[in-house]
Amino acid sequence: MSRKKDNNKYWIYGEDATLAARFTKYLMKVLHARRASYVRAKVVETSHEVSIEDCNREIDDVYNRLTVTVEENVESKLMWEGIRNYLPKLTPKECEVMIALYIDRLSVSETAAKLGVEPNTVSTHRRNACEKIRNEMEVK
């Protein structure tokens, strides 16, 4: 391919120019199609507006996160540092319960509602997880 550099621009001659033109035409078609798909997706997205009443739970979650004090955030991070090394030793449900109770600072009933189980099940998972963590700490 022959090129001539002139003021930071490349000039292409011959059959390379034909290939470059075909490739440019192809890229323009692809770009146009992608842009059209993006615009169509945005139109669909805006047509599915949701009322504020339907988003109460999400709004409450964001509001609760914004109103949590710095001290509570620090305490939550310290709790995370304390239990994260032991999470691989727990079952998935026990992990969810420990994170909900000690990191998200939810009550037993709130954790049960979040996980879709009974409060007694949450208490059982917490007790089992605490026993495993205690045993692991004794080994170390």
mmCIF file of all heavy atoms in Angstrom, residues 63-98:
data_model
loop_
_atom_site.group_PDB
_atom_site.id
_atom_site.type_symbol
_atom_site.label_atom_id
_atom_site.label_comp_id
_atom_site.label_asym_id
_atom_site.label_seq_id
_atom_site.Cartn_x
_atom_site.Cartn_y
_atom_site.Cartn_z
ATOM 1 N N TYR A 63 -33.512 6.719 49.817
ATOM 2 C CA TYR A 63 -33.634 7.682 50.913
ATOM 3 C C TYR A 63 -32.958 7.156 52.178
ATOM 4 O O TYR A 63 -32.246 7.892 52.863
ATOM 5 C CB TYR A 63 -35.107 7.980 51.194
ATOM 6 C CG TYR A 63 -35.311 8.930 52.346
ATOM 7 C CD1 TYR A 63 -35.057 10.285 52.192
ATOM 8 C CD2 TYR A 63 -35.738 8.467 53.587
ATOM 9 C CE1 TYR A 63 -35.231 11.159 53.247
ATOM 10 C CE2 TYR A 63 -35.911 9.334 54.642
ATOM 11 C CZ TYR A 63 -35.661 10.687 54.466
ATOM 12 O OH TYR A 63 -35.827 11.545 55.513
ATOM 13 N N ASN A 64 -33.170 5.871 52.477
ATOM 14 C CA ASN A 64 -32.544 5.284 53.662
ATOM 15 C C ASN A 64 -31.021 5.297 53.554
ATOM 16 O O ASN A 64 -30.328 5.567 54.528
ATOM 17 C CB ASN A 64 -33.041 3.858 53.883
ATOM 18 C CG ASN A 64 -34.476 3.831 54.356
ATOM 19 O OD1 ASN A 64 -34.980 4.813 54.899
ATOM 20 N ND2 ASN A 64 -35.147 2.720 54.137
ATOM 21 N N ARG A 65 -30.502 5.025 52.360
ATOM 22 C CA ARG A 65 -29.051 5.055 52.181
ATOM 23 C C ARG A 65 -28.507 6.464 52.351
ATOM 24 O O ARG A 65 -27.408 6.656 52.862
ATOM 25 C CB ARG A 65 -28.668 4.509 50.803
ATOM 26 C CG ARG A 65 -28.562 3.007 50.803
ATOM 27 C CD ARG A 65 -28.008 2.501 49.497
ATOM 28 N NE ARG A 65 -29.150 2.008 48.740
ATOM 29 C CZ ARG A 65 -29.389 2.238 47.471
ATOM 30 N NH1 ARG A 65 -28.564 2.938 46.768
ATOM 31 N NH2 ARG A 65 -30.459 1.763 46.890
ATOM 32 N N LEU A 66 -29.277 7.465 51.914
ATOM 33 C CA LEU A 66 -28.808 8.845 52.016
ATOM 34 C C LEU A 66 -28.904 9.386 53.437
ATOM 35 O O LEU A 66 -28.147 10.283 53.811
ATOM 36 C CB LEU A 66 -29.610 9.746 51.072
ATOM 37 C CG LEU A 66 -29.393 9.501 49.578
ATOM 38 C CD1 LEU A 66 -30.341 10.370 48.763
ATOM 39 C CD2 LEU A 66 -27.960 9.789 49.188
ATOM 40 N N THR A 67 -29.829 8.852 54.218
ATOM 41 C CA THR A 67 -30.015 9.378 55.570
ATOM 42 C C THR A 67 -29.202 8.643 56.627
ATOM 43 O O THR A 67 -29.229 9.032 57.788
ATOM 44 C CB THR A 67 -31.505 9.320 55.962
ATOM 45 O OG1 THR A 67 -31.975 7.981 55.853
ATOM 46 C CG2 THR A 67 -32.330 10.242 55.082
ATOM 47 N N VAL A 68 -28.483 7.610 56.238
ATOM 48 C CA VAL A 68 -27.663 6.870 57.187
ATOM 49 C C VAL A 68 -26.470 7.742 57.569
ATOM 50 O O VAL A 68 -25.837 8.369 56.722
ATOM 51 C CB VAL A 68 -27.194 5.538 56.571
ATOM 52 C CG1 VAL A 68 -26.205 4.831 57.467
ATOM 53 C CG2 VAL A 68 -28.381 4.653 56.290
ATOM 54 N N THR A 69 -26.171 7.786 58.862
ATOM 55 C CA THR A 69 -25.073 8.630 59.330
ATOM 56 C C THR A 69 -23.724 8.031 58.941
ATOM 57 O O THR A 69 -23.618 6.847 58.614
ATOM 58 C CB THR A 69 -25.120 8.790 60.858
ATOM 59 O OG1 THR A 69 -24.906 7.510 61.443
ATOM 60 C CG2 THR A 69 -26.447 9.357 61.310
ATOM 61 N N VAL A 70 -22.704 8.863 59.016
ATOM 62 C CA VAL A 70 -21.349 8.428 58.689
ATOM 63 C C VAL A 70 -20.907 7.337 59.662
ATOM 64 O O VAL A 70 -20.268 6.356 59.263
ATOM 65 C CB VAL A 70 -20.384 9.632 58.737
ATOM 66 C CG1 VAL A 70 -18.946 9.183 58.573
ATOM 67 C CG2 VAL A 70 -20.750 10.640 57.675
ATOM 68 N N GLU A 71 -21.259 7.494 60.929
ATOM 69 C CA GLU A 71 -20.870 6.505 61.932
ATOM 70 C C GLU A 71 -21.458 5.135 61.613
ATOM 71 O O GLU A 71 -20.783 4.110 61.745
ATOM 72 C CB GLU A 71 -21.312 6.942 63.339
ATOM 73 C CG GLU A 71 -20.567 8.140 63.877
ATOM 74 C CD GLU A 71 -21.110 9.465 63.371
ATOM 75 O OE1 GLU A 71 -22.195 9.481 62.742
ATOM 76 O OE2 GLU A 71 -20.434 10.486 63.582
ATOM 77 N N GLU A 72 -22.710 5.113 61.169
ATOM 78 C CA GLU A 72 -23.341 3.843 60.820
ATOM 79 C C GLU A 72 -22.674 3.231 59.596
ATOM 80 O O GLU A 72 -22.499 2.006 59.519
ATOM 81 C CB GLU A 72 -24.834 4.042 60.571
ATOM 82 C CG GLU A 72 -25.623 4.334 61.840
ATOM 83 C CD GLU A 72 -27.067 4.673 61.563
ATOM 84 O OE1 GLU A 72 -27.398 4.979 60.401
ATOM 85 O OE2 GLU A 72 -27.865 4.632 62.503
ATOM 86 N N ASN A 73 -22.293 4.072 58.637
ATOM 87 C CA ASN A 73 -21.580 3.555 57.459
ATOM 88 C C ASN A 73 -20.233 2.970 57.851
ATOM 89 O O ASN A 73 -19.840 1.913 57.357
ATOM 90 C CB ASN A 73 -21.371 4.664 56.424
ATOM 91 C CG ASN A 73 -22.582 4.869 55.551
ATOM 92 O OD1 ASN A 73 -23.382 3.957 55.362
ATOM 93 N ND2 ASN A 73 -22.733 6.064 55.032
ATOM 94 N N VAL A 74 -19.514 3.654 58.732
ATOM 95 C CA VAL A 74 -18.211 3.156 59.183
ATOM 96 C C VAL A 74 -18.388 1.844 59.932
ATOM 97 O O VAL A 74 -17.647 0.881 59.716
ATOM 98 C CB VAL A 74 -17.501 4.210 60.059
ATOM 99 C CG1 VAL A 74 -16.283 3.619 60.759
ATOM 100 C CG2 VAL A 74 -17.105 5.414 59.225
ATOM 101 N N GLU A 75 -19.378 1.787 60.799
ATOM 102 C CA GLU A 75 -19.646 0.560 61.552
ATOM 103 C C GLU A 75 -19.992 -0.588 60.614
ATOM 104 O O GLU A 75 -19.522 -1.719 60.795
ATOM 105 C CB GLU A 75 -20.792 0.797 62.539
ATOM 106 C CG GLU A 75 -21.042 -0.360 63.459
ATOM 107 C CD GLU A 75 -22.140 -0.054 64.467
ATOM 108 O OE1 GLU A 75 -22.388 1.120 64.750
ATOM 109 O OE2 GLU A 75 -22.736 -1.023 64.953
ATOM 110 N N SER A 76 -20.779 -0.280 59.592
ATOM 111 C CA SER A 76 -21.142 -1.309 58.622
ATOM 112 C C SER A 76 -19.907 -1.825 57.886
ATOM 113 O O SER A 76 -19.745 -3.032 57.683
ATOM 114 C CB SER A 76 -22.142 -0.720 57.631
ATOM 115 O OG SER A 76 -22.431 -1.619 56.618
ATOM 116 N N LYS A 77 -19.019 -0.930 57.503
ATOM 117 C CA LYS A 77 -17.795 -1.345 56.814
ATOM 118 C C LYS A 77 -16.894 -2.173 57.733
ATOM 119 O O LYS A 77 -16.275 -3.143 57.302
ATOM 120 C CB LYS A 77 -17.052 -0.127 56.285
ATOM 121 C CG LYS A 77 -17.760 0.518 55.113
ATOM 122 C CD LYS A 77 -16.914 1.533 54.431
ATOM 123 C CE LYS A 77 -17.600 2.299 53.348
ATOM 124 N NZ LYS A 77 -18.658 1.709 52.643
ATOM 125 N N LEU A 78 -16.831 -1.807 58.998
ATOM 126 C CA LEU A 78 -16.040 -2.587 59.950
ATOM 127 C C LEU A 78 -16.630 -3.983 60.130
ATOM 128 O O LEU A 78 -15.885 -4.972 60.221
ATOM 129 C CB LEU A 78 -15.948 -1.867 61.294
ATOM 130 C CG LEU A 78 -15.078 -0.615 61.313
ATOM 131 C CD1 LEU A 78 -15.214 0.106 62.645
ATOM 132 C CD2 LEU A 78 -13.632 -0.954 61.034
ATOM 133 N N MET A 79 -17.961 -4.065 60.184
ATOM 134 C CA MET A 79 -18.611 -5.379 60.289
ATOM 135 C C MET A 79 -18.296 -6.210 59.044
ATOM 136 O O MET A 79 -18.040 -7.405 59.141
ATOM 137 C CB MET A 79 -20.123 -5.221 60.446
ATOM 138 C CG MET A 79 -20.545 -4.748 61.814
ATOM 139 S SD MET A 79 -20.095 -5.906 63.089
ATOM 140 C CE MET A 79 -21.361 -7.111 62.900
ATOM 141 N N TRP A 80 -18.309 -5.562 57.882
ATOM 142 C CA TRP A 80 -17.994 -6.276 56.645
ATOM 143 C C TRP A 80 -16.575 -6.823 56.707
ATOM 144 O O TRP A 80 -16.329 -7.965 56.354
ATOM 145 C CB TRP A 80 -18.157 -5.349 55.445
ATOM 146 C CG TRP A 80 -17.636 -5.943 54.178
ATOM 147 C CD1 TRP A 80 -16.553 -5.534 53.476
ATOM 148 C CD2 TRP A 80 -18.160 -7.073 53.480
ATOM 149 N NE1 TRP A 80 -16.381 -6.327 52.379
ATOM 150 C CE2 TRP A 80 -17.352 -7.290 52.352
ATOM 151 C CE3 TRP A 80 -19.232 -7.931 53.689
ATOM 152 C CZ2 TRP A 80 -17.578 -8.308 51.445
ATOM 153 C CZ3 TRP A 80 -19.453 -8.950 52.786
ATOM 154 C CH2 TRP A 80 -18.641 -9.136 51.681
ATOM 155 N N GLU A 81 -15.636 -5.993 57.150
ATOM 156 C CA GLU A 81 -14.253 -6.451 57.260
ATOM 157 C C GLU A 81 -14.149 -7.637 58.224
ATOM 158 O O GLU A 81 -13.343 -8.530 58.036
ATOM 159 C CB GLU A 81 -13.341 -5.310 57.738
ATOM 160 C CG GLU A 81 -13.112 -4.234 56.706
ATOM 161 C CD GLU A 81 -12.408 -4.740 55.474
ATOM 162 O OE1 GLU A 81 -11.464 -5.539 55.591
ATOM 163 O OE2 GLU A 81 -12.819 -4.339 54.375
ATOM 164 N N GLY A 82 -14.983 -7.626 59.266
ATOM 165 C CA GLY A 82 -14.938 -8.696 60.252
ATOM 166 C C GLY A 82 -15.470 -10.022 59.741
ATOM 167 O O GLY A 82 -14.956 -11.077 60.095
ATOM 168 N N ILE A 83 -16.516 -9.980 58.910
ATOM 169 C CA ILE A 83 -17.143 -11.244 58.504
ATOM 170 C C ILE A 83 -16.773 -11.694 57.096
ATOM 171 O O ILE A 83 -17.011 -12.842 56.739
ATOM 172 C CB ILE A 83 -18.681 -11.190 58.621
ATOM 173 C CG1 ILE A 83 -19.285 -10.235 57.603
ATOM 174 C CG2 ILE A 83 -19.119 -10.886 60.013
ATOM 175 C CD1 ILE A 83 -20.793 -10.319 57.498
ATOM 176 N N ARG A 84 -16.179 -10.828 56.286
ATOM 177 C CA ARG A 84 -15.969 -11.209 54.882
ATOM 178 C C ARG A 84 -15.017 -12.387 54.724
ATOM 179 O O ARG A 84 -15.149 -13.164 53.784
ATOM 180 C CB ARG A 84 -15.527 -10.025 54.052
ATOM 181 C CG ARG A 84 -14.073 -9.770 54.063
ATOM 182 C CD ARG A 84 -13.672 -8.728 53.096
ATOM 183 N NE ARG A 84 -12.272 -8.489 53.354
ATOM 184 C CZ ARG A 84 -11.541 -7.653 52.733
ATOM 185 N NH1 ARG A 84 -12.071 -6.916 51.796
ATOM 186 N NH2 ARG A 84 -10.282 -7.518 53.028
ATOM 187 N N ASN A 85 -14.063 -12.546 55.636
ATOM 188 C CA ASN A 85 -13.130 -13.678 55.526
ATOM 189 C C ASN A 85 -13.811 -15.015 55.817
ATOM 190 O O ASN A 85 -13.319 -16.058 55.402
ATOM 191 C CB ASN A 85 -11.961 -13.493 56.491
ATOM 192 C CG ASN A 85 -11.134 -12.276 56.135
ATOM 193 O OD1 ASN A 85 -11.043 -11.901 54.975
ATOM 194 N ND2 ASN A 85 -10.559 -11.646 57.128
ATOM 195 N N TYR A 86 -14.929 -14.967 56.510
ATOM 196 C CA TYR A 86 -15.623 -16.200 56.893
ATOM 197 C C TYR A 86 -16.756 -16.558 55.942
ATOM 198 O O TYR A 86 -17.301 -17.657 56.010
ATOM 199 C CB TYR A 86 -16.160 -16.075 58.318
ATOM 200 C CG TYR A 86 -15.066 -15.796 59.311
ATOM 201 C CD1 TYR A 86 -14.894 -14.533 59.852
ATOM 202 C CD2 TYR A 86 -14.168 -16.794 59.678
ATOM 203 C CE1 TYR A 86 -13.869 -14.275 60.749
ATOM 204 C CE2 TYR A 86 -13.142 -16.540 60.576
ATOM 205 C CZ TYR A 86 -13.003 -15.282 61.100
ATOM 206 O OH TYR A 86 -11.975 -15.033 61.982
ATOM 207 N N LEU A 87 -17.143 -15.646 55.067
ATOM 208 C CA LEU A 87 -18.274 -15.906 54.167
ATOM 209 C C LEU A 87 -18.074 -17.128 53.269
ATOM 210 O O LEU A 87 -19.041 -17.860 53.033
ATOM 211 C CB LEU A 87 -18.590 -14.668 53.328
ATOM 212 C CG LEU A 87 -19.192 -13.496 54.107
ATOM 213 C CD1 LEU A 87 -19.447 -12.329 53.171
ATOM 214 C CD2 LEU A 87 -20.463 -13.878 54.819
ATOM 215 N N PRO A 88 -16.873 -17.408 52.774
ATOM 216 C CA PRO A 88 -16.731 -18.610 51.931
ATOM 217 C C PRO A 88 -17.026 -19.912 52.677
ATOM 218 O O PRO A 88 -17.339 -20.921 52.056
ATOM 219 C CB PRO A 88 -15.262 -18.571 51.491
ATOM 220 C CG PRO A 88 -14.860 -17.153 51.617
ATOM 221 C CD PRO A 88 -15.664 -16.605 52.753
ATOM 222 N N LYS A 89 -16.966 -19.874 53.989
ATOM 223 C CA LYS A 89 -17.225 -21.083 54.778
ATOM 224 C C LYS A 89 -18.719 -21.285 55.048
ATOM 225 O O LYS A 89 -19.123 -22.318 55.541
ATOM 226 C CB LYS A 89 -16.481 -20.992 56.106
ATOM 227 C CG LYS A 89 -15.022 -20.615 55.942
ATOM 228 C CD LYS A 89 -14.128 -21.648 56.498
ATOM 229 C CE LYS A 89 -12.684 -21.269 56.472
ATOM 230 N NZ LYS A 89 -12.059 -21.086 55.210
ATOM 231 N N LEU A 90 -19.541 -20.277 54.723
ATOM 232 C CA LEU A 90 -20.977 -20.334 54.997
ATOM 233 C C LEU A 90 -21.742 -20.742 53.742
ATOM 234 O O LEU A 90 -21.255 -20.598 52.623
ATOM 235 C CB LEU A 90 -21.465 -18.962 55.471
ATOM 236 C CG LEU A 90 -20.760 -18.355 56.677
ATOM 237 C CD1 LEU A 90 -21.332 -16.980 56.961
ATOM 238 C CD2 LEU A 90 -20.870 -19.243 57.889
ATOM 239 N N THR A 91 -22.965 -21.220 53.958
ATOM 240 C CA THR A 91 -23.841 -21.532 52.825
ATOM 241 C C THR A 91 -24.330 -20.216 52.217
ATOM 242 O O THR A 91 -24.270 -19.166 52.875
ATOM 243 C CB THR A 91 -25.052 -22.370 53.278
ATOM 244 O OG1 THR A 91 -25.858 -21.566 54.148
ATOM 245 C CG2 THR A 91 -24.623 -23.644 53.970
ATOM 246 N N PRO A 92 -24.832 -20.257 50.988
ATOM 247 C CA PRO A 92 -25.324 -19.012 50.376
ATOM 248 C C PRO A 92 -26.414 -18.321 51.195
ATOM 249 O O PRO A 92 -26.406 -17.103 51.336
ATOM 250 C CB PRO A 92 -25.855 -19.474 49.014
ATOM 251 C CG PRO A 92 -25.058 -20.688 48.701
ATOM 252 C CD PRO A 92 -24.811 -21.358 50.022
ATOM 253 N N LYS A 93 -27.337 -19.081 51.749
ATOM 254 C CA LYS A 93 -28.408 -18.478 52.558
ATOM 255 C C LYS A 93 -27.842 -17.840 53.820
ATOM 256 O O LYS A 93 -28.268 -16.764 54.230
ATOM 257 C CB LYS A 93 -29.463 -19.526 52.929
ATOM 258 C CG LYS A 93 -30.452 -19.784 51.841
ATOM 259 C CD LYS A 93 -31.323 -18.584 51.611
ATOM 260 C CE LYS A 93 -32.397 -18.927 50.608
ATOM 261 N NZ LYS A 93 -33.145 -17.755 50.193
ATOM 262 N N GLU A 94 -26.884 -18.512 54.448
ATOM 263 C CA GLU A 94 -26.259 -17.941 55.643
ATOM 264 C C GLU A 94 -25.532 -16.649 55.302
ATOM 265 O O GLU A 94 -25.591 -15.681 56.075
ATOM 266 C CB GLU A 94 -25.297 -18.948 56.272
ATOM 267 C CG GLU A 94 -25.980 -20.136 56.908
ATOM 268 C CD GLU A 94 -25.030 -21.251 57.317
ATOM 269 O OE1 GLU A 94 -23.855 -21.240 56.884
ATOM 270 O OE2 GLU A 94 -25.478 -22.139 58.063
ATOM 271 N N CYS A 95 -24.882 -16.620 54.157
ATOM 272 C CA CYS A 95 -24.211 -15.387 53.710
ATOM 273 C C CYS A 95 -25.218 -14.264 53.529
ATOM 274 O O CYS A 95 -24.989 -13.137 53.983
ATOM 275 C CB CYS A 95 -23.480 -15.615 52.393
ATOM 276 S SG CYS A 95 -22.016 -16.622 52.525
ATOM 277 N N GLU A 96 -26.318 -14.554 52.847
ATOM 278 C CA GLU A 96 -27.349 -13.534 52.633
ATOM 279 C C GLU A 96 -27.877 -13.006 53.954
ATOM 280 O O GLU A 96 -28.059 -11.804 54.119
ATOM 281 C CB GLU A 96 -28.497 -14.107 51.815
ATOM 282 C CG GLU A 96 -28.165 -14.376 50.364
ATOM 283 C CD GLU A 96 -29.350 -14.937 49.616
ATOM 284 O OE1 GLU A 96 -30.407 -14.283 49.610
ATOM 285 O OE2 GLU A 96 -29.223 -16.030 49.052
ATOM 286 N N VAL A 97 -28.123 -13.907 54.895
ATOM 287 C CA VAL A 97 -28.646 -13.504 56.193
ATOM 288 C C VAL A 97 -27.637 -12.636 56.937
ATOM 289 O O VAL A 97 -27.983 -11.578 57.471
ATOM 290 C CB VAL A 97 -29.034 -14.747 57.039
ATOM 291 C CG1 VAL A 97 -29.271 -14.388 58.483
ATOM 292 C CG2 VAL A 97 -30.268 -15.419 56.447
ATOM 293 N N MET A 98 -26.376 -13.048 56.960
ATOM 294 C CA MET A 98 -25.350 -12.279 57.676
ATOM 295 C C MET A 98 -25.170 -10.894 57.062
ATOM 296 O O MET A 98 -25.051 -9.896 57.779
ATOM 297 C CB MET A 98 -24.022 -13.034 57.690
ATOM 298 C CG MET A 98 -24.059 -14.344 58.460
ATOM 299 S SD MET A 98 -24.502 -14.157 60.178
ATOM 300 C CE MET A 98 -22.933 -13.632 60.848
#
